Amino acid sequence: MKRFICVILCVLIVSALPSALSASAVDDQALVLNPALTAEIDAFNLQLRLAADFEISIITRDFLGGKNVSTYTNQALKSLDSSGNLLLVMVIGEDAYEVALGSNAQKHISHEKVERLLSDTFRVPFLRRDYNEAVASFLVRFEEILQAQTGFSLPQASRLPEFAKQESVRLPKETAKPQVDIDIGLGSVFENFGHNEENAKQYSKDAIDAQENKDNGLSLFQIALIGFILYKIFGKKQNGRRKGCGPLGWIFGTWGLSRFFGWRRR
Amino acid sequence: MRGRVFLAFLLMLLLMAAAFGIGAYRAHFNEKIRIDQALESLREVLTARIEMGNNLLTVAGRHLDASDPMIISIRAQIGILSGQASLSEKAAANQQLTIDSKALLDILEHKASVIQDGRDLNYVTGLLPRGFEQSAQWADASAYNTAAKAFNDRLNSSFSGRIAQFWGVEKAEFFSTVEEGL
């Protein structure tokens, strides 16, 4: 029995592992951030959650398809699991970024202060396309501000200051935007790839439904039944003897007429 | 007595004709609703084309003058696609957007400022053409046009279809240019 429970527990732990691993606050759709930096941000968030009960979520995208970055950011924050977070959206192909603060984040820092912080630390490296440096610089400065209020500090082994300052971890420009596979890359080109894909599927289904027109018209069974009823009403004389053709004749007649009048199901 | 029988027979004929007329109208009206639904879905899908047009304009705006005829043309096609234009106008704009976007991507690909900019060169040679291809695939109007043609054929070729037309069921409009003449 103990073995069985152990096996069940192991299975549960293993199955829960992927979801725990994928619960990163960084959604790097444009593939511009170093995975090591993403890991650092996750460690940073772990501390931040304990100290101030919110996280910093980051979304990188190539384009927004003409949508206003501020509108997109606010909508994205609302759709996050934890909408109390601070959300930073970086639109690489449009050289634009925006920040939105959820309720928990606003308890500790104002929107204006974050904007100022971004202008001081993030803007220049972002426009220079040093995205890792931009994010790391912002987080390091953010930590300094929050430290005074909440006692929050960076994890001891954090490499964020390295990413913010040192040349050794800066990515060469050619790899700042690596060639990406079509299925991965297109997600960050459309404003909402999944929604567009759903629309396309719906359109395809609607067009097929309209073309086939399955629901309309009488089925073969209904036609045969109507033909038989008509035979019963009109196909016999009052003395019960047959008048004209038999039931099959009436059924085939109804079938022919249904074609002529367009009643038959296709 | 004979007059009553005749009146009853006449009434029966009238009721049968009314039932036939209502049935024909309802059947074709419901069909038309399905066609309109497919058209509405196609319109939704066209937003992907608009998005791609905007993305291309963003990149092109960094390397070409805003008065460039190609940029002006693409902006005009996006305006038509996102506005209240007729179906044939939108179909023409969609077609023109495909041609213009290919031409503009080709111009950008060979422009010195793009070649020097690794990120934009990547967009121009990779993500944007793929995005356009994907959006064109999604917004393939042939499925809708086939459904519209099938509906129009049913409306024209059957007696009940003509009755429905008499009662106001209209033919489906095609998503095609005047030149294509579907």
CSV table of all heavy atoms in Angstrom, one decimal, chain A residues 62-63 65 92-93 95 129 177 179-180 186 189-191 193 196 199-200 203 206-207 210-211 213 215-216 261 263 266, chain B residues 20 27 31 34 38 41-42 45 51-52 54-55 59 62 117 119 122-123 127 130-131 138 140-141 144 146-147 154 159-160:
chain,number,residue,atom,x,y,z
A,62,ASP,N,7.2,41.2,-31.4
A,62,ASP,CA,7.8,41.9,-32.6
A,62,ASP,C,6.9,43.1,-33.0
A,62,ASP,O,7.4,44.1,-33.2
A,62,ASP,CB,8.0,40.9,-33.7
A,62,ASP,CG,9.2,40.0,-33.5
A,62,ASP,OD1,10.3,40.6,-33.4
A,62,ASP,OD2,9.0,38.8,-33.4
A,63,PHE,N,5.6,42.8,-33.2
A,63,PHE,CA,4.7,43.9,-33.6
A,63,PHE,C,3.4,43.7,-32.9
A,63,PHE,O,3.1,42.7,-32.3
A,63,PHE,CB,4.4,43.7,-35.1
A,63,PHE,CG,5.6,43.9,-36.0
A,63,PHE,CD1,6.3,42.8,-36.5
A,63,PHE,CD2,6.1,45.2,-36.3
A,63,PHE,CE1,7.5,43.0,-37.3
A,63,PHE,CE2,7.2,45.4,-37.1
A,63,PHE,CZ,7.9,44.3,-37.6
A,65,GLY,N,0.6,44.9,-34.8
A,65,GLY,CA,-0.4,45.0,-35.9
A,65,GLY,C,-1.2,46.3,-36.0
A,65,GLY,O,-2.3,46.3,-36.4
A,92,ILE,N,9.4,45.1,-30.0
A,92,ILE,CA,10.8,45.2,-30.6
A,92,ILE,C,10.7,45.8,-32.0
A,92,ILE,O,11.4,46.8,-32.3
A,92,ILE,CB,11.5,43.8,-30.7
A,92,ILE,CG1,11.4,43.1,-29.3
A,92,ILE,CG2,12.9,43.9,-31.2
A,92,ILE,CD1,12.0,43.9,-28.2
A,93,GLY,N,9.8,45.3,-32.8
A,93,GLY,CA,9.8,45.8,-34.2
A,93,GLY,C,9.2,47.2,-34.3
A,93,GLY,O,9.3,47.9,-35.4
A,95,ASP,N,9.9,49.6,-31.8
A,95,ASP,CA,10.7,50.4,-30.9
A,95,ASP,C,9.9,51.1,-29.8
A,95,ASP,O,10.0,52.3,-29.5
A,95,ASP,CB,11.5,51.5,-31.7
A,95,ASP,CG,12.7,50.9,-32.5
A,95,ASP,OD1,13.2,49.8,-32.1
A,95,ASP,OD2,13.0,51.4,-33.6
A,129,ARG,N,18.9,48.7,-28.6
A,129,ARG,CA,18.6,47.3,-28.9
A,129,ARG,C,19.4,46.3,-28.0
A,129,ARG,O,19.6,45.2,-28.3
A,129,ARG,CB,18.8,46.9,-30.3
A,129,ARG,CG,17.8,47.6,-31.2
A,129,ARG,CD,18.0,47.1,-32.6
A,129,ARG,NE,17.3,48.1,-33.5
A,129,ARG,CZ,17.4,48.0,-34.8
A,129,ARG,NH1,18.2,47.1,-35.4
A,129,ARG,NH2,16.8,48.9,-35.6
A,177,LYS,N,18.4,39.3,-32.5
A,177,LYS,CA,17.2,38.9,-33.0
A,177,LYS,C,17.4,37.7,-33.9
A,177,LYS,O,17.6,37.8,-35.1
A,177,LYS,CB,16.6,40.0,-33.9
A,177,LYS,CG,15.2,39.7,-34.4
A,177,LYS,CD,14.2,39.8,-33.3
A,177,LYS,CE,12.9,39.2,-33.7
A,177,LYS,NZ,12.9,37.7,-33.5
A,179,GLN,N,17.2,34.2,-36.1
A,179,GLN,CA,16.2,33.6,-37.0
A,179,GLN,C,15.3,32.6,-36.3
A,179,GLN,O,15.8,31.8,-35.5
A,179,GLN,CB,16.9,32.9,-38.2
A,179,GLN,CG,17.6,33.8,-39.2
A,179,GLN,CD,16.6,34.3,-40.2
A,179,GLN,OE1,15.4,34.0,-40.2
A,179,GLN,NE2,17.0,35.2,-41.0
A,180,VAL,N,14.0,32.7,-36.5
A,180,VAL,CA,13.2,31.9,-35.7
A,180,VAL,C,12.3,31.0,-36.7
A,180,VAL,O,12.0,31.4,-37.8
A,180,VAL,CB,12.2,32.7,-34.8
A,180,VAL,CG1,13.1,33.3,-33.7
A,180,VAL,CG2,11.5,33.8,-35.5
A,186,LEU,N,5.7,33.7,-35.7
A,186,LEU,CA,4.5,34.4,-36.1
A,186,LEU,C,3.6,34.8,-35.0
A,186,LEU,O,2.8,35.7,-35.1
A,186,LEU,CB,3.7,33.5,-37.1
A,186,LEU,CG,4.3,33.4,-38.5
A,186,LEU,CD1,3.4,32.7,-39.5
A,186,LEU,CD2,4.6,34.8,-39.1
A,189,VAL,N,4.0,38.4,-34.3
A,189,VAL,CA,3.8,39.3,-35.4
A,189,VAL,C,2.4,39.8,-35.5
A,189,VAL,O,2.1,41.0,-35.8
A,189,VAL,CB,4.2,38.6,-36.8
A,189,VAL,CG1,3.9,39.5,-38.0
A,189,VAL,CG2,5.6,38.3,-36.8
A,190,PHE,N,1.4,38.9,-35.2
A,190,PHE,CA,0.0,39.3,-35.1
A,190,PHE,C,-0.3,39.8,-33.7
A,190,PHE,O,0.3,39.3,-32.8
A,190,PHE,CB,-0.9,38.2,-35.5
A,190,PHE,CG,-0.7,37.7,-36.9
A,190,PHE,CD1,0.1,36.6,-37.2
A,190,PHE,CD2,-1.3,38.4,-38.0
A,190,PHE,CE1,0.3,36.2,-38.5
A,190,PHE,CE2,-1.1,38.0,-39.3
A,190,PHE,CZ,-0.3,36.9,-39.6
A,191,GLU,N,-1.3,40.6,-33.7
A,191,GLU,CA,-1.7,41.2,-32.3
A,191,GLU,C,-2.1,40.0,-31.4
A,191,GLU,O,-1.8,39.9,-30.3
A,191,GLU,CB,-2.8,42.2,-32.4
A,191,GLU,CG,-3.1,42.9,-31.1
A,191,GLU,CD,-4.6,43.0,-30.9
A,191,GLU,OE1,-5.4,43.3,-31.8
A,191,GLU,OE2,-5.0,42.8,-29.7
A,193,PHE,N,-2.3,36.0,-32.3
A,193,PHE,CA,-2.2,34.9,-33.2
A,193,PHE,C,-3.3,33.9,-33.0
A,193,PHE,O,-3.9,33.4,-33.9
A,193,PHE,CB,-0.8,34.3,-33.1
A,193,PHE,CG,-0.5,33.2,-34.1
A,193,PHE,CD1,-0.1,33.6,-35.4
A,193,PHE,CD2,-0.7,31.9,-33.8
A,193,PHE,CE1,0.1,32.6,-36.4
A,193,PHE,CE2,-0.4,30.9,-34.8
A,193,PHE,CZ,0.0,31.2,-36.0
A,196,ASN,N,-6.7,35.0,-34.2
A,196,ASN,CA,-6.7,35.0,-35.7
A,196,ASN,C,-6.9,33.6,-36.2
A,196,ASN,O,-7.6,33.3,-37.1
A,196,ASN,CB,-5.4,35.6,-36.2
A,196,ASN,CG,-5.4,37.1,-36.2
A,196,ASN,OD1,-6.4,37.7,-36.0
A,196,ASN,ND2,-4.2,37.7,-36.3
A,199,ASN,N,-10.4,32.5,-35.6
A,199,ASN,CA,-11.2,33.2,-36.6
A,199,ASN,C,-11.2,32.4,-38.0
A,199,ASN,O,-12.2,32.3,-38.6
A,199,ASN,CB,-10.8,34.6,-36.9
A,199,ASN,CG,-11.3,35.5,-35.8
A,199,ASN,OD1,-12.2,35.2,-35.0
A,199,ASN,ND2,-10.7,36.7,-35.7
A,200,ALA,N,-9.9,32.1,-38.3
A,200,ALA,CA,-9.7,31.4,-39.6
A,200,ALA,C,-10.5,30.0,-39.6
A,200,ALA,O,-11.1,29.6,-40.6
A,200,ALA,CB,-8.3,31.2,-39.9
A,203,TYR,N,-14.2,30.7,-39.9
A,203,TYR,CA,-14.5,31.1,-41.3
A,203,TYR,C,-14.6,29.8,-42.2
A,203,TYR,O,-15.6,29.7,-42.9
A,203,TYR,CB,-13.5,32.1,-41.8
A,203,TYR,CG,-13.5,32.2,-43.3
A,203,TYR,CD1,-14.6,32.6,-44.0
A,203,TYR,CD2,-12.3,31.9,-44.0
A,203,TYR,CE1,-14.6,32.7,-45.4
A,203,TYR,CE2,-12.3,32.0,-45.4
A,203,TYR,CZ,-13.4,32.3,-46.1
A,203,TYR,OH,-13.4,32.4,-47.4
A,206,ASP,N,-17.7,27.9,-41.2
A,206,ASP,CA,-18.9,28.6,-41.7
A,206,ASP,C,-19.1,28.5,-43.2
A,206,ASP,O,-20.2,28.3,-43.7
A,206,ASP,CB,-18.9,30.1,-41.3
A,206,ASP,CG,-19.1,30.3,-39.8
A,206,ASP,OD1,-19.5,29.4,-39.2
A,206,ASP,OD2,-18.8,31.4,-39.4
A,207,ALA,N,-18.0,28.6,-43.9
A,207,ALA,CA,-18.0,28.5,-45.4
A,207,ALA,C,-18.5,27.1,-45.8
A,207,ALA,O,-19.3,27.0,-46.8
A,207,ALA,CB,-16.7,28.9,-46.0
A,210,ALA,N,-22.2,26.7,-45.1
A,210,ALA,CA,-23.0,27.4,-46.0
A,210,ALA,C,-23.0,26.7,-47.4
A,210,ALA,O,-24.1,26.7,-48.1
A,210,ALA,CB,-22.5,28.8,-46.2
A,211,GLN,N,-21.9,26.1,-47.7
A,211,GLN,CA,-21.8,25.5,-49.0
A,211,GLN,C,-22.6,24.2,-49.1
A,211,GLN,O,-23.3,23.9,-50.0
A,211,GLN,CB,-20.3,25.2,-49.3
A,211,GLN,CG,-20.1,24.8,-50.8
A,211,GLN,CD,-18.6,24.4,-51.0
A,211,GLN,OE1,-17.8,24.9,-50.3
A,211,GLN,NE2,-18.4,23.6,-52.0
A,213,ASN,N,-25.0,23.2,-47.0
A,213,ASN,CA,-26.4,23.4,-46.7
A,213,ASN,C,-27.1,22.1,-46.3
A,213,ASN,O,-28.1,21.7,-46.8
A,213,ASN,CB,-27.1,23.9,-48.0
A,213,ASN,CG,-28.6,24.3,-47.8
A,213,ASN,OD1,-28.9,24.7,-46.7
A,213,ASN,ND2,-29.4,24.1,-48.8
A,215,ASP,N,-28.6,21.1,-43.5
A,215,ASP,CA,-29.8,21.0,-42.7
A,215,ASP,C,-31.1,21.2,-43.5
A,215,ASP,O,-32.2,20.8,-43.0
A,215,ASP,CB,-29.8,22.1,-41.6
A,215,ASP,CG,-28.5,22.0,-40.8
A,215,ASP,OD1,-28.0,20.9,-40.7
A,215,ASP,OD2,-28.0,23.0,-40.3
A,216,ASN,N,-31.0,21.8,-44.6
A,216,ASN,CA,-32.2,22.1,-45.4
A,216,ASN,C,-32.8,20.9,-46.2
A,216,ASN,O,-32.1,20.1,-46.6
A,216,ASN,CB,-32.0,23.3,-46.3
A,216,ASN,CG,-32.4,24.6,-45.7
A,216,ASN,OD1,-33.1,24.6,-44.7
A,216,ASN,ND2,-32.1,25.7,-46.4
A,261,PHE,N,-39.2,21.0,-57.0
A,261,PHE,CA,-39.4,22.2,-56.2
A,261,PHE,C,-38.3,22.6,-55.3
A,261,PHE,O,-38.4,23.5,-54.5
A,261,PHE,CB,-40.7,21.9,-55.3
A,261,PHE,CG,-42.0,22.0,-56.1
A,261,PHE,CD1,-42.8,20.8,-56.3
A,261,PHE,CD2,-42.4,23.2,-56.7
A,261,PHE,CE1,-43.9,20.9,-57.0
A,261,PHE,CE2,-43.6,23.2,-57.4
A,261,PHE,CZ,-44.3,22.1,-57.6
A,263,TRP,N,-37.1,20.7,-52.7
A,263,TRP,CA,-37.3,20.4,-51.3
A,263,TRP,C,-36.4,19.3,-50.8
A,263,TRP,O,-36.3,19.1,-49.6
A,263,TRP,CB,-38.8,19.8,-51.1
A,263,TRP,CG,-39.8,20.8,-51.4
A,263,TRP,CD1,-39.7,22.2,-51.3
A,263,TRP,CD2,-41.2,20.5,-51.7
A,263,TRP,NE1,-40.9,22.7,-51.6
A,263,TRP,CE2,-41.9,21.8,-51.9
A,263,TRP,CE3,-41.9,19.4,-52.0
A,263,TRP,CZ2,-43.2,21.9,-52.2
A,263,TRP,CZ3,-43.2,19.5,-52.3
A,263,TRP,CH2,-43.9,20.7,-52.4
A,266,ARG,N,-29.8,18.0,-49.9
A,266,ARG,CA,-28.6,17.6,-50.8
A,266,ARG,C,-27.6,16.8,-50.0
A,266,ARG,O,-27.4,17.0,-48.9
A,266,ARG,CB,-28.0,18.9,-51.3
A,266,ARG,CG,-28.9,19.6,-52.3
A,266,ARG,CD,-28.6,21.0,-52.5
A,266,ARG,NE,-29.6,21.7,-53.4
A,266,ARG,CZ,-30.6,22.3,-52.9
A,266,ARG,NH1,-30.9,22.3,-51.7
A,266,ARG,NH2,-31.5,22.8,-53.7
B,20,PHE,N,-46.3,26.4,-49.2
B,20,PHE,CA,-45.2,26.3,-50.1
B,20,PHE,C,-44.3,27.5,-50.1
B,20,PHE,O,-43.1,27.5,-50.0
B,20,PHE,CB,-45.7,25.9,-51.5
B,20,PHE,CG,-44.6,25.9,-52.5
B,20,PHE,CD1,-43.7,24.8,-52.5
B,20,PHE,CD2,-44.5,26.9,-53.4
B,20,PHE,CE1,-42.7,24.8,-53.4
B,20,PHE,CE2,-43.5,26.8,-54.4
B,20,PHE,CZ,-42.6,25.8,-54.3
B,27,ALA,N,-36.7,28.5,-45.9
B,27,ALA,CA,-35.5,27.6,-46.2
B,27,ALA,C,-34.4,28.5,-46.8
B,27,ALA,O,-33.2,28.4,-46.4
B,27,ALA,CB,-35.9,26.5,-47.2
B,31,GLU,N,-30.7,29.8,-45.4
B,31,GLU,CA,-29.5,29.5,-46.1
B,31,GLU,C,-28.7,30.8,-46.3
B,31,GLU,O,-27.5,30.9,-46.1
B,31,GLU,CB,-29.8,29.0,-47.5
B,31,GLU,CG,-29.8,27.6,-47.7
B,31,GLU,CD,-29.9,27.2,-49.1
B,31,GLU,OE1,-28.9,27.4,-49.8
B,31,GLU,OE2,-30.9,26.6,-49.5
B,34,ARG,N,-26.8,31.7,-43.3
B,34,ARG,CA,-25.5,31.0,-43.2
B,34,ARG,C,-24.4,31.6,-44.1
B,34,ARG,O,-23.2,31.7,-43.7
B,34,ARG,CB,-25.7,29.5,-43.5
B,34,ARG,CG,-26.0,28.7,-42.3
B,34,ARG,CD,-25.9,27.2,-42.6
B,34,ARG,NE,-27.0,26.8,-43.5
B,34,ARG,CZ,-28.1,26.3,-43.0
B,34,ARG,NH1,-28.3,26.3,-41.7
B,34,ARG,NH2,-29.0,25.9,-43.8
B,38,ALA,N,-20.8,33.3,-42.9
B,38,ALA,CA,-19.5,33.0,-43.5
B,38,ALA,C,-18.8,34.3,-44.0
B,38,ALA,O,-17.6,34.4,-43.8
B,38,ALA,CB,-19.7,32.0,-44.7
B,41,SER,N,-17.4,36.0,-40.9
B,41,SER,CA,-16.2,35.4,-40.5
B,41,SER,C,-15.0,35.8,-41.4
B,41,SER,O,-13.9,36.0,-40.9
B,41,SER,CB,-16.3,33.8,-40.6
B,41,SER,OG,-17.4,33.4,-39.8
B,42,LEU,N,-15.3,35.9,-42.7
B,42,LEU,CA,-14.3,36.3,-43.6
B,42,LEU,C,-13.8,37.7,-43.3
B,42,LEU,O,-12.6,38.0,-43.3
B,42,LEU,CB,-14.8,36.2,-45.1
B,42,LEU,CG,-13.8,36.7,-46.2
B,42,LEU,CD1,-12.5,35.9,-46.2
B,42,LEU,CD2,-14.5,36.7,-47.5
B,45,VAL,N,-11.5,37.6,-40.4
B,45,VAL,CA,-10.2,37.1,-40.8
B,45,VAL,C,-9.3,38.1,-41.5
B,45,VAL,O,-8.1,38.2,-41.4
B,45,VAL,CB,-10.3,35.8,-41.7
B,45,VAL,CG1,-9.0,35.4,-42.3
B,45,VAL,CG2,-10.9,34.7,-40.9
B,51,GLU,N,-3.5,43.9,-40.0
B,51,GLU,CA,-2.4,43.9,-39.1
B,51,GLU,C,-1.0,43.8,-39.8
B,51,GLU,O,-0.1,44.5,-39.5
B,51,GLU,CB,-2.5,42.7,-38.1
B,51,GLU,CG,-3.6,42.9,-37.0
B,51,GLU,CD,-3.8,41.7,-36.2
B,51,GLU,OE1,-2.8,40.9,-36.0
B,51,GLU,OE2,-4.9,41.5,-35.6
B,52,MET,N,-1.0,42.9,-40.7
B,52,MET,CA,0.3,42.7,-41.5
B,52,MET,C,0.7,43.9,-42.3
B,52,MET,O,1.8,44.3,-42.3
B,52,MET,CB,0.2,41.4,-42.4
B,52,MET,CG,0.3,40.1,-41.7
B,52,MET,SD,1.7,40.0,-40.5
B,52,MET,CE,3.1,40.3,-41.5
B,54,ASN,N,-0.1,47.0,-41.4
B,54,ASN,CA,0.4,47.9,-40.5
B,54,ASN,C,1.9,47.6,-40.1
B,54,ASN,O,2.7,48.5,-39.9
B,54,ASN,CB,-0.5,48.0,-39.2
B,54,ASN,CG,-1.7,48.7,-39.5
B,54,ASN,OD1,-1.7,49.8,-40.2
B,54,ASN,ND2,-2.8,48.3,-38.9
B,55,ASN,N,2.1,46.3,-39.9
B,55,ASN,CA,3.5,45.9,-39.5
B,55,ASN,C,4.5,46.3,-40.5
B,55,ASN,O,5.6,46.8,-40.3
B,55,ASN,CB,3.6,44.4,-39.2
B,55,ASN,CG,2.8,44.0,-38.0
B,55,ASN,OD1,2.4,44.8,-37.2
B,55,ASN,ND2,2.4,42.7,-37.9
B,59,VAL,N,7.9,49.0,-40.4
B,59,VAL,CA,9.3,48.8,-40.8
B,59,VAL,C,9.6,49.7,-42.0
B,59,VAL,O,10.7,50.4,-42.0
B,59,VAL,CB,9.5,47.3,-41.2
B,59,VAL,CG1,10.9,47.1,-41.7
B,59,VAL,CG2,9.2,46.4,-40.0
B,62,ARG,N,10.7,53.3,-41.3
B,62,ARG,CA,12.1,53.6,-40.8
B,62,ARG,C,13.1,53.8,-42.0
B,62,ARG,O,14.2,54.3,-41.8
B,62,ARG,CB,12.5,52.4,-39.9
B,62,ARG,CG,11.8,52.4,-38.6
B,62,ARG,CD,12.6,51.5,-37.6
B,62,ARG,NE,12.3,50.1,-37.8
B,62,ARG,CZ,11.4,49.4,-37.1
B,62,ARG,NH1,10.7,50.0,-36.2
B,62,ARG,NH2,11.3,48.1,-37.3
B,117,ASP,N,20.8,46.9,-41.2
B,117,ASP,CA,20.1,46.7,-39.9
B,117,ASP,C,19.6,45.3,-39.8
B,117,ASP,O,18.7,44.9,-40.4
B,117,ASP,CB,18.9,47.7,-40.0
B,117,ASP,CG,18.1,47.7,-38.7
B,117,ASP,OD1,18.1,46.6,-38.0
B,117,ASP,OD2,17.5,48.7,-38.3
B,119,ARG,N,18.1,43.5,-37.6
B,119,ARG,CA,16.8,43.3,-37.1
B,119,ARG,C,15.8,43.5,-38.3
B,119,ARG,O,14.9,42.6,-38.6
B,119,ARG,CB,16.4,44.2,-36.0
B,119,ARG,CG,15.0,44.0,-35.5
B,119,ARG,CD,14.6,45.1,-34.5
B,119,ARG,NE,14.5,46.4,-35.2
B,119,ARG,CZ,14.1,47.5,-34.7
B,119,ARG,NH1,13.7,47.5,-33.5
B,119,ARG,NH2,14.0,48.6,-35.4
B,122,ASN,N,15.9,41.0,-41.0
B,122,ASN,CA,15.3,39.7,-40.6
B,122,ASN,C,13.8,39.8,-40.8
B,122,ASN,O,13.1,38.9,-41.2
B,122,ASN,CB,15.7,39.5,-39.1
B,122,ASN,CG,15.6,38.1,-38.8
B,122,ASN,OD1,15.2,37.2,-39.6
B,122,ASN,ND2,15.9,37.8,-37.5
B,123,TYR,N,13.2,41.0,-40.4
B,123,TYR,CA,11.8,41.1,-40.6
B,123,TYR,C,11.4,41.1,-42.0
B,123,TYR,O,10.4,40.4,-42.4
B,123,TYR,CB,11.3,42.5,-40.0
B,123,TYR,CG,11.3,42.5,-38.5
B,123,TYR,CD1,11.6,43.7,-37.8
B,123,TYR,CD2,10.9,41.4,-37.7
B,123,TYR,CE1,11.6,43.8,-36.4
B,123,TYR,CE2,10.8,41.5,-36.4
B,123,TYR,CZ,11.2,42.6,-35.7
B,123,TYR,OH,11.2,42.7,-34.3
B,127,LEU,N,10.1,37.2,-41.1
B,127,LEU,CA,8.8,37.2,-40.4
B,127,LEU,C,7.7,37.9,-41.2
B,127,LEU,O,6.5,37.4,-41.3
B,127,LEU,CB,8.9,38.0,-39.1
B,127,LEU,CG,9.5,37.2,-37.9
B,127,LEU,CD1,9.6,38.0,-36.7
B,127,LEU,CD2,8.6,35.9,-37.7
B,130,ARG,N,6.4,35.8,-44.2
B,130,ARG,CA,5.7,34.6,-43.7
B,130,ARG,C,4.3,35.0,-43.1
B,130,ARG,O,3.3,34.3,-43.3
B,130,ARG,CB,6.5,33.9,-42.6
B,130,ARG,CG,7.7,33.2,-43.1
B,130,ARG,CD,8.6,32.8,-42.0
B,130,ARG,NE,9.8,32.2,-42.4
B,130,ARG,CZ,10.8,31.9,-41.5
B,130,ARG,NH1,10.7,32.3,-40.3
B,130,ARG,NH2,11.9,31.4,-41.9
B,131,GLY,N,4.3,36.2,-42.4
B,131,GLY,CA,3.1,36.7,-41.9
B,131,GLY,C,2.1,37.0,-42.9
B,131,GLY,O,0.9,36.6,-42.8
B,138,TRP,N,-5.2,32.4,-44.4
B,138,TRP,CA,-6.4,32.5,-43.6
B,138,TRP,C,-7.6,33.1,-44.3
B,138,TRP,O,-8.7,32.7,-44.2
B,138,TRP,CB,-6.1,33.3,-42.3
B,138,TRP,CG,-5.4,32.6,-41.2
B,138,TRP,CD1,-5.3,31.2,-41.0
B,138,TRP,CD2,-4.5,33.2,-40.2
B,138,TRP,NE1,-4.5,31.0,-39.9
B,138,TRP,CE2,-4.0,32.1,-39.4
B,138,TRP,CE3,-4.2,34.5,-39.9
B,138,TRP,CZ2,-3.2,32.3,-38.3
B,138,TRP,CZ3,-3.3,34.7,-38.8
B,138,TRP,CH2,-2.8,33.6,-38.1
B,140,ASP,N,-8.4,33.3,-47.4
B,140,ASP,CA,-8.7,32.8,-48.8
B,140,ASP,C,-10.2,32.9,-49.0
B,140,ASP,O,-10.9,32.1,-48.4
B,140,ASP,CB,-8.1,31.4,-48.9
B,140,ASP,CG,-8.4,30.7,-50.2
B,140,ASP,OD1,-8.7,31.5,-51.1
B,140,ASP,OD2,-8.4,29.5,-50.3
B,141,ALA,N,-10.5,33.7,-49.9
B,141,ALA,CA,-12.0,34.0,-50.2
B,141,ALA,C,-12.6,32.9,-51.0
B,141,ALA,O,-13.9,32.9,-51.2
B,141,ALA,CB,-12.2,35.4,-50.8
B,144,TYR,N,-15.6,31.1,-49.3
B,144,TYR,CA,-16.8,31.9,-49.3
B,144,TYR,C,-17.4,32.0,-50.6
B,144,TYR,O,-18.7,31.8,-50.8
B,144,TYR,CB,-16.5,33.3,-48.7
B,144,TYR,CG,-17.7,34.2,-48.9
B,144,TYR,CD1,-18.8,34.1,-48.1
B,144,TYR,CD2,-17.7,35.1,-50.0
B,144,TYR,CE1,-19.9,34.9,-48.4
B,144,TYR,CE2,-18.8,35.9,-50.2
B,144,TYR,CZ,-19.9,35.8,-49.4
B,144,TYR,OH,-21.0,36.6,-49.7
B,146,THR,N,-17.3,30.0,-53.2
B,146,THR,CA,-17.9,28.7,-53.6
B,146,THR,C,-19.2,28.6,-52.9
B,146,THR,O,-20.2,28.2,-53.6
B,146,THR,CB,-17.0,27.6,-53.2
B,146,THR,OG1,-15.7,27.8,-53.7
B,146,THR,CG2,-17.4,26.3,-53.8
B,147,ALA,N,-19.3,28.9,-51.7
B,147,ALA,CA,-20.6,28.8,-50.9
B,147,ALA,C,-21.6,29.8,-51.5
B,147,ALA,O,-22.8,29.4,-51.7
B,147,ALA,CB,-20.4,29.1,-49.4
B,154,ARG,N,-28.7,27.6,-56.3
B,154,ARG,CA,-29.9,27.0,-55.8
B,154,ARG,C,-31.1,28.0,-55.9
B,154,ARG,O,-32.2,27.6,-56.2
B,154,ARG,CB,-29.7,26.6,-54.3
B,154,ARG,CG,-28.9,25.4,-54.1
B,154,ARG,CD,-29.0,24.9,-52.6
B,154,ARG,NE,-28.3,25.7,-51.7
B,154,ARG,CZ,-27.0,25.5,-51.3
B,154,ARG,NH1,-26.3,24.6,-51.8
B,154,ARG,NH2,-26.5,26.3,-50.4
B,159,PHE,N,-37.6,26.0,-58.4
B,159,PHE,CA,-38.9,26.8,-58.3
B,159,PHE,C,-39.0,27.5,-57.0
B,159,PHE,O,-39.4,28.7,-56.9
B,159,PHE,CB,-40.0,25.8,-58.6
B,159,PHE,CG,-41.4,26.5,-58.7
B,159,PHE,CD1,-41.6,27.4,-59.7
B,159,PHE,CD2,-42.4,26.2,-57.7
B,159,PHE,CE1,-42.9,28.0,-59.8
B,159,PHE,CE2,-43.6,26.8,-57.8
B,159,PHE,CZ,-43.8,27.7,-58.8
B,160,SER,N,-38.7,26.7,-55.9
B,160,SER,CA,-38.8,27.4,-54.6
B,160,SER,C,-37.8,28.5,-54.4
B,160,SER,O,-38.1,29.5,-53.7
B,160,SER,CB,-38.6,26.3,-53.5
B,160,SER,OG,-37.3,25.8,-53.6
